[in-house]
Amino acid sequence: MKLVLIFGPQAVGKMTVGQELEKITGLKLFHNHMTIELVSHFFSYGSKEGKRLVSLFRQEIFEEVAKSDLEGLIFTYVWAFDMQEDWDYIDKVCNIFESRGGEVYFVELDAELEERLERNRSPLRLEHKPTKRDIEFSERDLISTMEKHRLNSIEDEIKKENYIRINNTELSPLEVAQMIKNRFEL
């Protein structure tokens, strides 16, 4: 069992890289908005109820996948490195897979802000993430979250053997997926 954790700031390309990685590895993609979009029909993600439901759905999916005969899962996440609760969450998710003998691979993406703002408007993103369709709100949220939290690690902060950081500003999602596949022999 493999868990490929793709993380980075909003609109860095986590979902699109995950989609390409799914195609070339056969691992199933579970991007973070799959649960956010489901719950947002009833509660905003920022609400107490929304966060609780998103967390419950994700937890159940992780546990079922970890004990299944699937080869693995690709999960995308916006990790706020300045928040201990995010570190704790990542540890909890990793433990679900590692406690059953699975391996976790950490893939950090970063890209220039101008590129991320452009990607924030891409048709593919808006197709899969309806809550991002209010572009004005989405751009304000992207910038304010970046100002409020540290969304990329600092050098040597992640001390995992199975870790790679990729600046994908100038790379296609397929190129990045191929780099991940090759690096971790997926």
Side-chain angles (χ1 to χ4, degrees):
M1 176 59 62
K2 298 170 177 71
L3 172 65
V4 179
L5 178 61
I6 302 176
F7 55 95
Q10 299 107 311
V12 77
K14 298 177 297 293
M15 180 190 72
T16 53
V17 167
Q19 288 170 328
E20 294 299 328
L21 190 60
E22 179 179 44
K23 289 175 192 172
I24 63 175
T25 64
L27 301 176
K28 299 292 184 185
L29 173 62
F30 179 33
H31 69 79
N32 58 330
H33 268 264
M34 290 171 141
T35 50
I36 292 170
E37 299 302 335
L38 173 66
V39 169
S40 72
H41 183 73
F42 307 99
F43 302 102
S44 79
Y45 177 58
S47 71
K48 177 182 70 169
E49 299 88 353
K51 286 182 179 181
R52 187 179 81 75
L53 287 171
V54 166
S55 178
L56 285 171
F57 283 127
R58 287 179 182 173
Q59 176 82 16
E60 290 298 317
I61 291 169
F62 292 143
E63 289 182 7
E64 290 302 319
V65 169
K67 64 185 179 185
S68 76
D69 60 358
L70 292 174
E71 286 188 47
L73 187 72
I74 302 161
F75 178 62
T76 69
Y77 187 69
V78 176
W79 183 348
F81 286 90
D82 57 319
M83 294 180 62
Q84 185 60 47
E85 68 187 68
D86 277 16
W87 284 88
D88 295 343
Y89 179 73
I90 293 298
D91 284 345
K92 181 179 175 182
V93 171
C94 292
N95 186 55
I96 291 170
F97 290 86
E98 291 170 337
S99 69
R100 291 179 171 86
E103 290 188 71
V104 180
Y105 303 91
F106 292 80
V107 178
E108 181 173 5
L109 300 180
D110 70 89
E112 299 300 321
L113 177 60
E114 296 77 25
E115 180 66 21
R116 290 175 44 225
L117 288 169
E118 188 174 317
R119 290 176 184 173
N120 191 55
R121 297 171 173 261
S122 76
L124 182 67
R125 178 178 174 83
L126 300 178
E127 175 187 342
H128 289 276
K129 301 178 181 184
T131 56
K132 300 294 183 183
R133 291 178 185 159
D134 180 344
I135 300 293
E136 195 174 296
F137 171 81
S138 183
E139 285 183 2
R140 277 195 319 269
D141 182 57
L142 187 152
I143 291 168
S144 70
T145 303
M146 181 182 75
E147 291 171 347
K148 190 185 318 181
H149 297 289
R150 185 166 55 84
L151 303 176
N152 279 114
S153 68
I154 54 177
E155 190 172 341
D156 296 324
E157 185 171 20
I158 298 177
K159 302 187 183 309
K160 303 287 186 180
E161 182 180 333
N162 294 328
Y163 167 74
I164 187 172
R165 182 173 177 157
I166 302 169
N167 183 311
N168 66 333
T169 302
E170 301 289 330
L171 300 172
S172 74
L174 180 57
E175 288 173 307
V176 176
Q178 197 63 56
M179 291 169 70
I180 296 165
K181 180 181 180 189
N182 293 343
R183 167 68 168 80
F184 299 125
E185 300 177 356
L186 299 174

